[in-house]
Amino acid sequence: MRVLLALGGNAMTNADGRARPEDQIEAARVAMAAVADLLQHDVDVVVTHGNGPQVGNLLVKNELAAAVVPPVPLDWCGAQTQATLGFVLMDALDAELGRRGIDRRTATVVTRTVVDADDPGFARPTKPIGRFLSAEEAALLVEHGETWEDRGAKGWRRVVASPEPLRIVDAPAAQALVDAGFVVIANGGGGIPVVAEPDGSLHGVEAVIDKDLGAALLAGSVDADVLVIGTDVPHAVLHYGTPEARDVGVVTVAEMRAYAADGHFASGSMGPKVEAACRFVEQGGARAVITDLAHLADAVTGASGTVVVPN
Ligand SMILES: Nc1ncnc2c1ncn2[C@@H]1O[C@H](COP(=O)(O)OP(=O)(O)O)[C@@H](O)[C@H]1O
Ligand SMILES: NC(=O)OP(=O)(O)O
């Protein structure tokens, strides 16, 4: 069985979301121990990951240092997060594999993902990145032209353009490495967004792709049987945050789409995970599971988490 595991921002840093290096290294250790468990049970794993906290932090560093160091655009920041997180995840996984005597090599693929230059997402920022601020702090940055959004209890967060991922340019490289036996990390942060010119050339654009939607696309490209979306909750929940809250267990894609249409899953958090799970199953995937890392081993067999299956 081949599993595409998408690690959310929550699985990549600690609860305060500040993304200090030591927090990211510790989160990677926990996540890669879960991956090693699967490898030990003969499950083939391809990993992708979010980059929201990290890419937002890099963007701020660029902006603060602009007077002395030439700033780089958001797509460059995205590429930098793929490299850094790939390196941290490979270090963690290599250490875990070494401890268990598992003879597997790891590789990270810098991955570009094509988007449409006319995607409506460029006109309407929706992707939350970086740290959370208070309403007063966010208001100052809005005055400087940034877009910030109230994200509830944790505070306000900057939002940037997030176009639909259409095609993963470097999927064949990821696939070749998978076929050669590598544990591959690819399409981090949903992929570096690029647009294709009529002559076929590509250039980066300033946006951050949703990593769950990117994961659904990657899963098809690397022939994954199962998509597992790893986050900080064991299930998607109906009537979330209310006394009527109810976990979703095994559910058909039609039922899940109906729940989504009824507004059960928040945009920018559970909403894209549910959309990605539905897309993967509609594309022919056996099942897509939304759960936390503690339930990963049972999730791949469909015995735990929210399990979306064909109709
Ligand atoms: N209906 C829902 N069921 C479960 N969680 C939900 C729901 N709606 C919103 N959420 C929130 O979605 C969060 C997971 O999404 P997100 O924070 O974007 O995860 P990640 O960073 O792991 O990708 C949960 O911590 C929860 O607070
Ligand atoms: N790119 C992306 O979706 O990152 P997060 O999962 O960290 O928000």
Side-chain angles (χ1 to χ4, degrees):
M1 188 199 316
R2 182 171 293 166
V3 170
L4 189 292
L5 172 63
L7 293 169
N10 290 312
M12 298 291 298
T13 183
N14 70 337
D16 75 10
R18 287 181 58 210
R20 288 172 302 201
E22 58 270 34
D23 300 328
Q24 296 184 65
I25 288 168
E26 173 57 15
R29 188 189 64 74
V30 172
M32 293 303 104
V35 168
D37 286 342
L38 294 183
L39 294 169
Q40 216 155 14
H41 289 91
D42 282 337
V43 175
D44 209 7
V45 187
V46 180
V47 177
T48 190
H49 59 81
N51 70 345
Q54 295 84 358
V55 79
N57 285 355
L58 266 183
L59 190 61
V60 170
K61 281 186 205 167
N62 262 279
E63 289 163 348
L64 290 177
V68 277
V69 181
V72 299
L74 183 54
D75 44 312
W76 285 45
C77 295
Q80 289 168 16
T81 65
Q82 283 190 349
T84 306
L85 290 168
F87 139 75
V88 169
L89 290 172
M90 286 194 301
D91 268 1
L93 186 53
D94 285 343
E96 198 61 40
L97 295 177
R99 250 192 301 281
R100 300 179 190 212
I102 302 174
D103 183 22
R104 294 287 295 270
R105 301 296 306 278
T106 58
T108 295
V109 179
V110 173
T111 318
R112 296 160 293 173
T113 296
V114 174
V115 301
D116 183 348
D118 296 323
D119 190 295
F122 285 109
R124 196 175 56 88
T126 53
K127 176 75 201 153
I129 61 167
R131 68 231 153 108
F132 289 86
L133 292 183
S134 68
E136 296 72 32
E137 290 168 315
L140 283 175
L141 294 164
V142 170
E143 278 176 26
H144 284 85
E146 295 179 10
T147 309
W148 284 69
E149 194 177 85
D150 186 354
R151 302 292 302 173
K154 286 187 177 172
W156 285 59
R157 210 166 175 209
R158 188 172 182 176
V159 285
V160 296
S162 193
E164 270 284 318
L166 300 178
R167 178 172 64 87
I168 299 176
V169 179
D170 303 294
Q175 173 81 68
L177 285 162
V178 169
D179 291 344
F182 284 78
V183 182
V184 173
I185 298 159
N187 213 42
I192 306 160
V194 295
V195 299
E197 297 298 340
D199 68 359
S201 61
L202 301 172
H203 65 86
V205 282
E206 294 211 68
V208 175
I209 297 173
D210 183 275
K211 73 103 188 13
D212 295 310
L213 300 184
L217 204 54
L218 179 67
S221 308
V222 296
D223 295 331
D225 306 296
V226 179
L227 169 64
V228 177
I229 299 178
T231 184
D232 62 343
V233 286
H235 297 93
V237 176
L238 303 181
H239 305 288
Y240 182 72
T242 74
E244 291 80 45
R246 181 162 66 81
D247 293 346
V248 183
V250 180
V251 62
T252 66
V253 64
E255 288 168 330
M256 202 57 170
R257 285 231 177 260
Y259 292 144
D262 285 345
H264 283 286
F265 311 118
S267 67
S269 58
M270 190 49 69
K273 297 181 199 314
V274 169
E275 176 63 30
C278 291
R279 285 185 191 181
F280 174 69
V281 173
E282 286 162 349
Q283 282 162 202
R287 63 184 165 277
V289 188
I290 301 169
T291 193
D292 55 14
L293 287 179
H295 295 92
L296 191 58
D298 287 337
V300 297
T301 61
S304 192
T306 293
V307 185
V308 182
V309 296
N311 294 325

